[in-house]
Amino acid sequence: MLTRDDLEALIRNGHVDTVLMVFPDLQGRLVGKRTTGRFFLQSVADAGTENCDYLIACDMDNNPVPGYRFTSYEQGYGDMLAKADWNTVRLIPWVEKTAMIMCDLLDVDSGKLVEVAPRSILQAQVDAAAEMGFLPMVASEIEFFLFKDTYDEAHAKGYRGLEPHSPWVEDYHILQTTKDEYILGAIRRGLEAAGVPVEFSKGEAGKGQHEINLDYTTAVEMADRNSVYKLAAKEIAHFNGRSITFMAKPDFNDTGSSCHIHSSLWTMDGETAVFYDHDGPHGMSETFQHYVAGQIATAREFSLLWAPTINSYKRFQLGSWAPTGVGWGIDNRTLGFRKVGHGKGTRVECRIPGSDANSYFAFAGTLAGGLYGIKNKLPLGEAFSGNGYSAPDIPRIPWNIVDAIELWENSTIAKESFGEDVHHHILTMAQAEWEAFNHSVTDWELRRYWERI
């Protein structure tokens, strides 16, 4: 990571000539502007950049979506100000002479944070934790599929008949991952050089599927790292004539891709983990038990934050390594929540989110649920042992986005945790996703009905 002074020196000596001023949109994609180094120093470093506010009120295709309170055609789709967060300056070594800065979005008139911006939504939950005396720490494991086709070739094929980079499941397989190393190694090295520390990469349980694990850190920084990671993986694949997808379920007959979230709470100085208690059940403190209970209690109502697309819900299949139930267990991968770690590493893994999740929303939901459990001292039931897929007595994850929308819309906990405006913004986003799907005719419909109906 670089300081502001470091960046300014790199620009002046010619090592950097382009600065990306970026922020996440509703899908978690990084959007913003490229500015020349000269103009950055002259006009942008202090003032920021202005960007159309429709960027956090449009769909996957950048179509403006009606119904948002935040902005609309009636309000003129004005600007919002992207101001540099100087703790996030990093080089982007896979793009020549380029640096990146994450930005917070501000109202151009009042200078206040835009409440419904993804980064602001997560920061609000971090602030809520701080008011209770806690510093959240987060890590996540995001999987993806690597293909031999380029992005242009995949598009031309209609994303059908693509060739996975491996012809077989390569879970933990060293030989096959060596064949993939020209891509995976470039991603790992690029991320490390960009100030995104990598623990390891490994083959996963699908054909051409991989996972990269990043070092744990504070919540907003972890979400930033995930955004850089996804962008890096796609751009490096592109430069090597390959493509990567973070779809939750690109092939129904193959495994899905997850974004497992590991979270814990620490004292505000970051020195003491508060989840471990040697004398507690399974080494769990009372705070930890309430935290997990809160996540379980809110999991169904918060599912939109972890599964935001139509495709997300295809991932929740029996025996698929993606959970279908929201119970918890000790190191049990068949459940929505898994207690893992020892000592200060004691934490809970939420296995519900897919790789298509917006990390800012997913982490916000994780923290909000846990804090709700602590505030209300929710009791944690006994750990489940056995196969969570066949457990008859645990709640089930919504199996489609329609049910998830209804749960979120009627959730008093969501309104209480996020506020009315954020609740409405996420509801509108999900409703737009469902409406977009209903304005299409799928390949499945054509194959089923075109000739035979």
Side-chain angles (χ1 to χ4, degrees), residues 164-171 173 175-177 179-180 204-209 254:
H165 208 273
S166 169
W168 51 69
V169 171
E170 55 183 304
D171 203 13
H173 201 281
L175 172 60
Q176 180 56 44
T177 53
K179 297 177 183 179
D180 308 333
E204 262 298 333
K207 298 176 181 178
Q209 190 182 34
D254 210 335

Side-chain angles (χ1 to χ4, degrees), residues 94 144-150 153 163-166 170 174-190 201 208 210 212 232-244:
W94 56 91
F144 60 84
F145 280 89
L146 172 64
F147 293 93
K148 292 185 176 180
D149 311 79
T150 68
E153 290 167 346
E163 184 177 1
H165 208 273
S166 169
E170 55 183 304
I174 295 300
L175 172 60
Q176 180 56 44
T177 53
T178 298
K179 297 177 183 179
D180 308 333
E181 181 65 4
Y182 70 102
I183 300 291
L184 273 295
I187 295 171
R188 290 195 315 273
R189 287 184 284 273
S201 62
H210 293 268
I212 293 180
K234 289 182 175 183
E235 291 183 341
I236 290 169
H238 164 71
F239 289 140
N240 285 275
R242 298 293 183 253
S243 59
I244 278 171

Side-chain angles (χ1 to χ4, degrees), residues 243-364:
S243 59
I244 278 171
T245 183
F246 288 95
M247 278 184 70
K249 191 78 167 178
D251 185 339
F252 195 82
N253 296 316
D254 210 335
T255 189
S257 289
S258 69
C259 172
H260 298 151
I261 299 174
H262 296 251
S263 62
S264 59
L265 298 179
W266 296 61
T267 54
M268 288 300 296
D269 58 9
E271 294 295 323
T272 305
V274 302
F275 277 2
Y276 177 67
D277 181 351
H278 180 270
D279 297 323
H282 310 293
M284 301 170 71
S285 69
E286 287 189 12
T287 299
F288 188 17
Q289 293 175 60
H290 296 323
Y291 183 86
V292 177
Q295 289 197 354
I296 292 172
T298 57
R300 283 171 48 80
E301 295 177 23
F302 288 6
S303 56
L304 281 180
L305 302 175
W306 296 328
T309 71
I310 299 293
N311 183 254
S312 302
Y313 296 85
K314 305 292 177 67
R315 179 173 153 266
F316 302 124
Q317 304 296 324
L318 298 177
S320 66
W321 299 111
T324 58
V326 296
W328 79 283
I330 306 298
D331 198 14
N332 187 333
R333 285 182 167 86
T334 70
L335 299 161
F337 297 92
R338 183 170 74 121
K339 185 267 178 183
V340 290
H342 306 279
K344 68 179 183 180
T346 298
R347 62 196 186 274
V348 59
E349 176 193 38
C350 176
R351 297 179 59 81
I352 298 172
S355 58
D356 58 347
N358 180 331
S359 291
Y360 300 89
F361 292 160
F363 293 176

Side-chain angles (χ1 to χ4, degrees), residues 438-449:
N438 284 317
H439 289 171
S440 68
V441 175
T442 66
D443 289 349
W444 182 88
E445 291 170 276
L446 290 171
R447 288 194 303 270
R448 188 173 183 85
Y449 304 127

Side-chain angles (χ1 to χ4, degrees), residues 399-410:
W399 76 278
N400 60 58
I401 199 170
V402 177
D403 290 348
I405 288 171
E406 182 178 1
L407 284 162
W408 175 265
E409 184 173 16
N410 296 321

